[in-house]
Amino acid sequence: MTSDILARSAAAIDDNVMFEPDGRPFGLGLPSDGLGASHELRDGVTMIESFAHVHVIEADSAAVVFDSSVPDLGPRVADRVRTGTRAPVSHVVLTHGHRDHAGGAAALVDGLATPGACPLLVGHEALPHRVARYRLTDGYNQVINQRQFGRVPNWDLAGGWAFEVPDLDVSFNRRITLDVGGLEVELRHVKAETDDHLWAWIAERAVAVTGDLMLWHFPNAGNPAKSQRYPLEWVAALRDIAEAGPELLLPGHGLPIAGRERIRRVLLDTASVLEELTIMTLDLMNRGANLDEVLAEARLAGERIRRPYLAPTYDEPEFVVRNVWRLYGGWYDGLASNLKPARYASVASELADLAGGPLALARRAETLAGEGKTAVACHLIDLAAAVEPTSAAVHGVRAAIYWQRRAEQQSVMAAAIYESTARESDARAAAGLGEVAG
């Protein structure tokens, strides 16, 4: 089907429209089954809506598919590609090893195989190591991703987070060029959101396929529960893509973008903001600031993140600052008491004794939350809960504070963590496991 989404993305960027009428971040709303429509963006270029999108580029005698969506959707993506392409698929390229991009690879490759040929699976040489690490940390990833993605269609994590990707038929280190029915597809590696990321440049079509390098929100360079991100390398990649001069940009999430100058503006804006925040953080670190001081001072001007493609609706600048610290400074935050800290509950007990008991802390937290000081209120109520983890009264206050904190958030990551905390305390309060004296 021919699509109007290029016009929608142009209007969002040109008119600086950040939100849909219902308040959702501007972009695509997927149906409940997780697989959306197919959009013919131009002759021989199709985007299949999913989480993440799958892109198909056809030449006269062959086609290449980028990414495969999540494991459960792999077979349906294969059906969609098979019925929507005229030429056989010669290559399936994985932009990186995240579950929503690589999880359906096995089913996709199998579903596109013909009696005489099977598509070649292509990815960066570090991708298998990522998949192996997911197996090693499956329990941890199941916990954190259930919190973050538990309501996303087709993300059933009951069986674990790890997934299998077939052995790559073609892997590379820095760059490689594929021959897709006479169409040259250049793949370039970059360390950005992941260490195994690539982007594709099809010069003959002036098309760039960017995976998660362009996300329609502030760059995901600071995810608080995930492995290391690489912001300055990400900046360089965005500028490389802009320099190539694409006329059509195909991201892994959100809307595709058409128009050389529009694409260039989006890429360079994103690169500049990410670079500014990183350099600001490094400058403070170089001057001897501790992490608490860096977080207080490394702030972007508000108007810089009011563009529809830079809004902090998923990740946010504060988390990126923490990631920059981790990348260049390690885990020690510069406060000596945190080098070999006491157990949190032990500190909480001492402070509760000074305050007059855990309920006194809880009441003070409740007052602060009522004054809009939810950040401090969260510290106090967590101290109270650490002292009396079975108190229904404490957890009742804690739930209310964290629901309030959750309502204040714009980013998915912060909102998910606060919501899960509120739900945890709601459950403990409802259980009525115990009370403490004031």
Side-chain angles (χ1 to χ4, degrees):
M1 60 176 283
T2 302
S3 174
D4 67 345
I5 59 175
L6 290 175
R8 290 179 61 204
S9 72
I13 294 166
D14 297 347
D15 299 332
N16 204 41
V17 178
M18 192 191 306
F19 293 106
E20 299 278 20
D22 64 1
R24 290 182 297 110
F26 198 91
L28 294 165
L30 289 173
S32 59
D33 65 1
L35 190 66
S38 295
H39 299 271
E40 186 178 1
L41 303 177
R42 61 166 65 165
D43 186 38
V45 180
T46 301
M47 184 187 89
I48 301 171
E49 287 181 51
S50 189
F51 195 92
H53 304 322
V54 175
H55 298 102
V56 184
I57 298 179
E58 294 186 65
D60 290 336
S61 60
V64 57
V65 178
F66 292 92
D67 290 336
S68 63
S69 193
V70 296
D72 290 351
L73 291 178
R76 293 179 59 202
V77 170
D79 289 343
R80 185 76 65 84
V81 172
R82 190 170 54 250
T83 58
T85 55
R86 298 177 294 274
V89 174
S90 61
H91 299 81
V92 171
V93 177
L94 302 178
T95 60
H96 59 296
H98 278 167
R99 195 175 202 263
D100 53 327
H101 293 261
L108 180 58
V109 170
D110 287 347
L112 295 177
T114 63
C118 183
L120 298 177
L121 187 62
V122 185
H124 186 259
E125 64 183 15
L127 188 149
H129 301 288
R130 172 170 297 278
V131 175
R133 178 165 60 78
Y134 289 152
R135 289 195 295 270
L136 187 66
T137 58
D138 184 49
Y140 173 74
N141 278 295
Q142 185 175 358
V143 169
I144 62 173
N145 288 291
Q146 182 63 49
R147 179 192 303 138
Q148 187 169 320
F149 297 118
R151 299 181 183 182
V152 174
N154 289 86
W155 284 60
D156 181 6
L157 304 182
W161 174 260
F163 56 92
E164 295 299 323
V165 173
D167 291 340
L168 297 176
D169 299 298
V170 180
S171 63
F172 68 102
N173 183 303
R174 296 182 63 189
R175 294 190 183 192
I176 192 172
T177 299
L178 307 177
D179 182 346
V180 179
L183 181 68
E184 288 191 353
V185 177
E186 183 182 2
L187 307 179
R188 303 184 187 182
H189 170 243
V190 59
K191 293 169 70 174
E193 186 186 50
T194 69
D195 60 358
D196 62 336
H197 211 294
L198 64 85
W199 66 278
W201 173 232
I202 302 98
E204 183 179 325
R205 306 279 183 90
V207 172
V209 184
T210 60
D212 282 354
L213 296 177
M214 197 281 160
L215 291 160
W216 279 87
H217 54 68
F218 199 86
N220 183 20
N223 193 314
K226 301 295 178 66
S227 59
Q228 186 65 62
R229 271 74 164 124
Y230 304 90
L232 290 182
E233 291 88 341
W234 197 329
V235 167
L238 293 171
R239 289 177 176 156
D240 283 347
I241 299 169
E243 183 64 25
E247 295 174 3
L248 180 63
L249 186 143
L250 307 178
H253 301 273
L255 302 173
I257 308 173
R260 186 185 300 262
E261 290 307 312
R262 182 179 297 113
I263 292 169
R264 180 177 177 83
R265 182 168 76 251
V266 169
L267 294 172
L268 295 184
D269 276 355
T270 305
S272 296
V273 169
L274 186 55
E275 181 180 55
E276 179 183 334
L277 185 61
T278 303
I279 297 303
M280 193 185 309
T281 302
L282 289 172
D283 181 60
L284 289 163
M285 292 173 67
N286 286 331
R287 291 183 339 212
N290 62 40
L291 179 57
D292 183 65
E293 293 165 337
V294 171
L295 288 168
E297 295 186 42
R299 301 280 180 173
L300 291 168
E303 64 270 14
R304 299 297 297 276
I305 53 174
R306 291 177 185 159
R307 295 165 189 158
Y309 46 88
L310 285 175
T313 52
Y314 185 67
D315 206 336
E316 55 186 276
E318 180 176 337
F319 297 158
V320 175
V321 170
R322 288 183 178 275
N323 185 70
V324 172
W325 179 282
R326 178 176 63 172
L327 177 60
Y328 293 102
W331 58 263
Y332 174 50
D333 64 4
L335 296 175
S337 60
N338 287 334
L339 180 63
K340 298 178 69 174
R343 291 293 301 274
Y344 186 81
S346 297
V347 177
S349 180
E350 293 295 329
L351 293 174
D353 285 346
L354 289 171
L359 282 183
L361 284 174
R363 291 186 187 112
R364 179 58 181 162
E366 197 170 32
T367 298
L368 290 169
E371 297 171 354
K373 301 174 182 177
T374 51
V376 178
C378 286
H379 284 292
L380 294 188
I381 196 60
D382 278 353
L383 289 167
V387 178
E388 288 291 346
T390 61
S391 168
V394 167
H395 279 287
V397 175
R398 187 171 184 255
I401 289 173
Y402 273 105
W403 280 118
Q404 180 179 339
R405 193 85 189 272
R406 187 253 182 268
E408 297 168 350
Q409 305 309 306
Q410 190 175 2
S411 78
V412 167
M413 294 180 193
I417 290 172
Y418 293 143
E419 180 173 332
S420 67
T421 305
R423 291 185 182 279
E424 173 193 84
S425 279
D426 270 336
R428 293 194 181 191
L433 296 176
E435 298 293 346
V436 295

